[in-house]
């Protein structure tokens, strides 16, 4: 495993672990979700965290009858993260001053992060257009 691949994979494991911890803390703090929005938030965190952790931990993941390489699982996780982040940010901005309380600055932050996530998800999906192909090799 080359250095870039190791960094990406370790980042996915760490990000997945922290996301699952966040989901667990919401579960402990809020208990059983009583609203659809809370249930969706919890489900989203679990899906993103599990997918990130799996992509970082295993070269291939069996999903039903298919065997999927870690870069595709990572791309799915990153897209799910971006979609959820966008939904939460837009919803909170429409209801008030946003999640961060920064209003218009949150729009810029969200656009920048979602743009980065989209780029990185594409890199994972195609196996490296700008990033070295060896980073996304499946051994």
């Amino acid at each position: 495993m080359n250095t870039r691949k190791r960094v990406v994979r370790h980042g996915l494991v760490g990000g997945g672990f922290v996301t699952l911890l966040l989901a667990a803390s919401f579960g402990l703090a809020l208990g059983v979700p009583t609203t659809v929005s809370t249930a969706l938030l919890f489900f989203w965190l679990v899906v993103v965290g599990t997918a990130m952790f799996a992509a970082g931990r295993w070269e291939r993941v069996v999903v039903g009858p298919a065997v999927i390489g870690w870069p595709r699982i990572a791309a799915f996780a990153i897209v799910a993260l971006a979609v959820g982040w966008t939904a939460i940010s837009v919803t909170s901005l429409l209801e008030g001053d946003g999640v961060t309380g920064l209003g218009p600055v949150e729009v810029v932050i969200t656009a920048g992060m979602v743009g980065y996530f989209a780029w990185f998800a594409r890199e994972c999906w195609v196996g490296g257009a700008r990033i070295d192909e060896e980073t996304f090799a499946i051994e």
Side-chain angles (χ1 to χ4, degrees):
M1 183 182 316
N2 70 29
T3 304
R4 286 185 186 166
K5 181 177 178 179
R6 185 176 297 113
V7 167
V8 170
R9 300 282 306 276
H10 282 80
L12 288 166
V13 169
F17 181 74
V18 169
T19 304
L20 289 170
L21 280 178
L22 183 61
S25 68
F26 279 159
L28 291 173
L30 303 176
V32 176
T34 55
T35 64
V36 173
S37 61
T38 306
L40 286 173
L41 176 65
F42 180 76
F43 178 73
W44 169 66
L45 288 171
V46 169
V47 168
V48 168
T50 301
M52 288 176 75
F53 187 84
R57 183 71 178 96
W58 297 288
E59 287 289 319
R60 293 171 185 81
V61 177
V62 177
V63 180
V67 178
I68 303 172
W70 75 267
R72 296 278 170 102
I73 299 293
F76 166 78
I78 295 164
V79 166
L81 180 63
V83 168
W85 182 323
T86 302
I88 291 168
S89 185
V90 167
T91 301
S92 66
L93 283 166
L94 292 174
E95 291 178 354
D97 216 12
V99 175
T100 62
L102 297 174
V105 175
E106 185 171 330
V107 173
V108 174
I109 293 169
T110 297
M113 290 306 298
V114 168
Y116 171 74
F117 288 155
W119 172 79
F120 191 64
R122 181 180 179 276
E123 287 293 309
C124 289
W125 189 263
V126 301
R130 297 264 186 214
I131 299 174
D132 187 17
E133 291 176 1
E134 291 178 15
T135 303
F136 302 100
I138 300 171
E139 297 170 6

